[in-house]
Amino acid sequence: MLAVRGGRVGSKRYRGLRPILVFCLPAIGDFIRCHSAIQILAERFPEHPIDVVTSPLAAPLARLMPHIRKTWIVERHWNPGLRERARLARELRKENYQAAYLLTSSTKAALIPWLAGIPERIGYPRELQFGIVNRLPAGWLKSFVAFGPRKTRLFEQVCAIAMLGERPADDVRLPQPKMMVPSEEVSAWRIRHGIDAARPALALYTSEFVNFRSWPAERFISIARDHSRRGWSVWLVGGPRERAAAAQIRAALPEAADFTSTPDITDAMCQIAASTVFLGVDGGICHAAAALGGPCVLIFGSNRAYETGPVNDHVRFLEPPISTPSWIKDTNGVSEERVLAALAEAAAQARRPQGARTA
């Protein structure tokens, strides 16, 4: 199924400028990391409209990101049939794109701008897409064969594609993903759910408790109970994957609010933006919370935060200490005491004047 979500199409600002198309990754966390590359393109090509292609799951987040004009959506984006790809290519041909940046390594995705006749198709030939991708970033071969500690992170790879492999100066920071929820949407969400804006709220993202990236259920319950006793609201955020974990927490703490049945992911963004502090584990929603700019405490397994975690400066990462015995696996080496201390620091940050998470 092909769909399109528009922004400022046809505005005077964009008239006469050839747009740029960015093929983003389909998962929520990966799509959010692509926003760093989009910011680089917006700086390199000021005033040129930037459109994106992604999955139905991630597409609603695009309107919360600066610099994105329009979003093209394809059902099962990286695995449609040839007819579906050709249909999208015909639609894209009408837009007169000057370049397509392929942040994904999928050959099926790379076929679309080739069929659309977009003259520049920029990316790494991860699936040997020579000819389909016709402009390769400088140093692409070194990146192609890098393994172990030399391997660049996904965040760095998408930025390198946007910069055509040019290495920034040592004192230049790559942009951090950014999302902003309109303040009126947060206010409307609070009204719909009867949320008292004066009461502090802890948003919990647990993933599945059987997932190695999660944290023990009894520790989440203990943290939630501690905050509830001190007058905080406890909100359980996420989607279908987190519903069983949310039910387990609510069985022990009925006053916790379960928002894991939220039908629209932008509602989940309102929940996070409206919360005082976010506590979560490795997953797409933690990237969203980081991009929204509020105080975040994230629990990760040993040596995983650098490779797979958000890159936003304000995030507090908790990993097992290096002295943790090897038989204590995954996140179990992160104690409740460390989490409570980090949450207290984050709550103090939330009380200080800071940049808003709403627009």
Side-chain angles (χ1 to χ4, degrees), residues 49-288:
I50 298 174
D51 299 344
V52 299
V53 182
T54 191
S55 66
L57 181 65
L61 300 179
R63 72 176 181 84
L64 306 180
M65 295 177 172
H67 310 301
I68 295 178
R69 177 187 69 164
K70 182 165 59 176
T71 305
W72 296 93
I73 309 165
V74 181
E75 194 71 43
R76 293 181 57 80
H77 176 57
W78 301 147
N79 195 31
L82 182 60
R83 180 180 298 177
E84 184 72 10
R85 292 197 297 273
R87 188 166 68 174
L88 175 57
R90 286 195 298 271
E91 294 297 319
L92 296 178
R93 189 179 288 272
K94 301 173 187 176
E95 299 288 328
N96 195 29
Y97 288 109
Q98 69 177 23
Y101 287 80
L102 293 150
L103 307 186
T104 169
S105 62
S106 166
T107 298
K108 292 176 181 178
L111 280 172
I112 297 172
W114 178 70
L115 291 170
I118 298 175
E120 275 198 301
R121 303 178 297 276
I122 302 155
Y124 289 117
R126 292 296 188 189
E127 294 181 0
L128 303 179
Q129 303 155 348
F130 296 101
I132 300 175
V133 174
N134 62 5
R135 187 167 185 184
L136 308 178
W140 69 269
L141 183 58
K142 182 178 180 181
S143 176
F144 192 70
V145 299
F147 296 98
R150 295 176 299 164
K151 185 176 181 180
T152 56
R153 296 174 289 171
L154 176 62
F155 158 69
E156 294 163 338
Q157 290 175 16
V158 298
C159 290
I161 292 170
M163 295 186 295
L164 297 176
E166 176 185 334
R167 181 174 175 174
D170 290 345
D171 60 344
V172 174
R173 299 272 321 264
L174 296 174
Q176 302 170 20
K178 182 187 300 182
M179 294 197 302
M180 293 178 287
V181 183
S183 57
E184 60 271 18
E185 290 187 23
V186 177
S187 298
W189 177 82
R190 283 195 174 108
I191 292 170
R192 285 199 307 272
H193 294 277
I195 301 296
D196 180 2
R199 186 180 181 187
L202 174 65
L204 293 183
Y205 170 67
T206 64
S207 189
E208 300 168 290
F209 285 139
V210 295
N211 191 316
F212 74 94
R213 296 180 298 181
S214 192
W215 198 46
E218 64 273 11
R219 299 186 195 178
F220 267 118
I221 291 169
S222 176
I223 295 292
R225 186 175 285 130
D226 173 84
H227 281 71
S228 181
R229 277 198 301 260
R230 291 190 283 116
W232 285 56
S233 297
V234 176
W235 301 343
L236 308 173
V237 301
R241 188 172 60 180
E242 288 73 43
R243 285 175 192 166
Q248 189 172 342
I249 293 174
R250 287 202 74 247
L253 190 72
E255 58 266 37
D258 181 3
F259 292 121
T260 59
S261 296
T262 295
D264 190 332
I265 193 171
T266 53
D267 261 15
M269 299 304 102
C270 287
Q271 295 154 21
I272 295 170
S275 68
T276 309
V277 178
F278 177 91
L279 171 64
V281 297
D282 189 1
I285 296 297
C286 84
H287 284 269

Side-chain angles (χ1 to χ4, degrees), residues 295-336:
C296 290
V297 176
L298 302 182
I299 301 169
F300 273 66
S302 296
N303 301 314
R304 290 189 58 84
Y306 174 77
E307 181 179 355
T308 65
V311 296
N312 302 75
D313 287 336
H314 62 277
V315 174
R316 291 172 172 81
F317 288 108
L318 299 179
E319 292 183 333
I322 197 168
S323 59
T324 302
S326 59
W327 59 82
I328 300 178
K329 296 182 178 180
D330 304 324
T331 60
N332 289 343
V334 178
S335 67
E336 286 183 42

